[in-house]
Amino acid sequence: MVKRAHGADEDHETAKVLPSDILDWLLPGHALKADIFETKGWQGYKQSARIFAPGLADPVGIMARDGNADTICVSITGSGMFAVDLRRARLALEHYGARITRIDAAFDDLDGEFVALDLLRYDAVCGMFDGGNRPSSRSFVDDLGTGAGSALYVGRKGDKQLNAYEKGKQQGDRFSPWVRVEVRLWSKNRLLPLEMLDSPLGAILGAYPHLRQYLPEASPTRARTMRRQVEARAEDMTDWLRSAAGKSLGALRAAAKQAGATDSEVLDLLTRDGMPSRFVGIPEEVAIYRTAEFLQGAIQ
């Protein structure tokens, strides 16, 4: 959130500024794009504009102005952060006197090497994530062996919340060991320093020091995390196709062979442009490339 200029002349000039200009000022080196401001209210602001990232059809954020004590708010989801240079952004945000009002930071234990959800659940019951003398609210969503993925919640929205869940299973791989530990922080009762942008893992450990005994000093790279996301969704997609349409595809393949047609010609008849919703939040070229890798391994 950034304070806007004051005065009649300044307000007139600010009204001419495009969302793309503001992104350039606050997030130098970014690869985002933004619509123009429209009179659509959002979170107490009168005008807003959608923000997009390369390769993604759906918005990854929103920018809003004209409200909330003459501030401008920029909100970007996790799926759009690959298009932001966080180090350069922090320096620019410091220059403009910006402040963070909410931040979500996550650690991905891709191979289940560091974090066991049942152990975190036990620690939560024992009060290891409580702050002060008052127990934190906590809940556990059990998938009861369905493979859909269980989840632990400690704390409350609007203040501070820990969410640990079986991310790989949530993505569709019912045997995945992938666990994500996510911390959501709001500025209502605390200062969120801009240095958090340099070290998301530091933000997690600062909010819940008990996690230091589980999490390593370094987080997996975004590329490795995205690769695991695509693998899980690609496996789920092939399982769904096999279950829902496997027999139909087999019959069409046999008929095509008798008609002298190839498998490729049958696929051309059945497919249409676009990406399935299961790949929302992943650039199309990344989804295709990583799915090709998955297919190579599955076919061999």
Side-chain angles (χ1 to χ4, degrees):
M1 184 177 290
V2 185
K3 191 73 173 179
R4 204 181 69 168
H6 287 288
D9 292 338
E10 289 88 345
D11 287 345
H12 178 70
E13 291 301 318
T14 302
K16 297 180 181 179
V17 175
L18 297 174
S20 57
D21 296 326
I22 297 173
L23 287 178
D24 290 342
W25 296 337
L26 299 181
L27 308 175
H30 71 88
L32 301 167
K33 293 184 178 180
D35 290 339
I36 61 173
F37 281 116
E38 297 181 351
T39 54
K40 293 182 179 180
W42 182 78
Q43 299 291 322
Y45 293 94
K46 296 179 181 178
Q47 298 183 351
S48 63
R50 298 179 302 172
I51 299 173
F52 295 86
L56 301 181
D58 295 323
V60 298
I62 191 168
M63 183 185 300
R65 71 177 184 184
D66 196 5
N68 292 325
D70 286 331
T71 57
I72 294 175
C73 182
V74 179
S75 176
I76 301 175
T77 65
S79 60
M81 294 309 296
F82 75 93
V84 177
D85 185 331
L86 289 177
R87 185 189 64 82
R88 295 180 64 184
R90 178 181 65 80
L91 295 175
L93 293 172
E94 287 178 348
H95 173 75
Y96 287 107
R99 63 186 179 90
I100 299 174
T101 55
R102 174 179 172 176
I103 188 169
D104 296 357
F107 174 86
D108 287 300
D109 186 5
L110 300 175
D111 300 312
E113 182 180 358
F114 305 103
V115 180
L117 194 59
D118 287 340
L119 186 56
L120 293 182
R121 178 186 183 183
Y122 176 80
D123 289 349
V125 172
C126 293
M128 304 305 293
F129 299 116
D130 294 346
N133 298 320
R134 187 176 65 177
S136 299
S137 61
R138 47 186 178 255
S139 62
F140 187 80
V141 179
D142 196 332
D143 71 355
L144 299 177
T146 63
S150 300
L152 169 70
Y153 297 89
V154 178
R156 64 183 187 275
K157 291 183 177 180
D159 183 21
K160 182 174 78 167
Q161 187 178 59
L162 168 66
N163 178 204
Y165 56 103
E166 294 173 312
K167 181 69 174 180
K169 292 181 179 179
Q170 183 196 71
Q171 298 291 316
D173 182 356
R174 59 193 308 265
F175 301 108
S176 173
W178 177 8
V179 175
R180 171 172 288 183
V181 178
E182 184 173 325
V183 170
R184 302 159 187 162
L185 300 170
W186 288 261
S187 62
K188 180 180 179 180
N189 296 316
R190 63 187 54 80
L191 174 67
L192 302 179
L194 292 172
E195 286 76 13
M196 285 183 169
L197 298 177
D198 292 331
S199 176
L201 181 57
I204 295 173
L205 299 179
Y208 293 98
H210 180 68
L211 291 172
R212 293 182 183 275
Q213 65 177 298
Y214 298 120
L215 304 186
E217 295 182 359
S219 299
T221 64
R222 176 174 176 81
R224 187 172 175 226
T225 301
M226 188 171 289
R227 178 177 182 175
R228 189 58 60 87
Q229 281 183 308
V230 175
E231 287 176 351
R233 298 180 192 186
E235 183 171 357
D236 181 53
M237 179 173 62
T238 53
D239 287 345
W240 175 81
L241 274 173
R242 186 184 301 111
S243 175
K247 291 182 178 180
S248 297
L249 290 172
L252 285 172
R253 187 180 193 185
K257 185 176 181 180
Q258 186 171 333
T262 65
D263 290 350
S264 179
E265 289 172 327
V266 174
L267 283 175
D268 288 341
L269 180 66
L270 298 175
T271 56
R272 55 193 176 96
D273 293 337
M275 296 293 290
S277 59
R278 69 185 71 244
F279 288 119
V280 167
I282 298 176
E284 182 174 339
E285 63 272 17
V286 175
I288 292 175
Y289 178 77
R290 294 304 183 188
T291 300
E293 286 189 330
F294 165 77
L295 287 175
Q296 287 177 339
I299 293 172
Q300 290 177 354

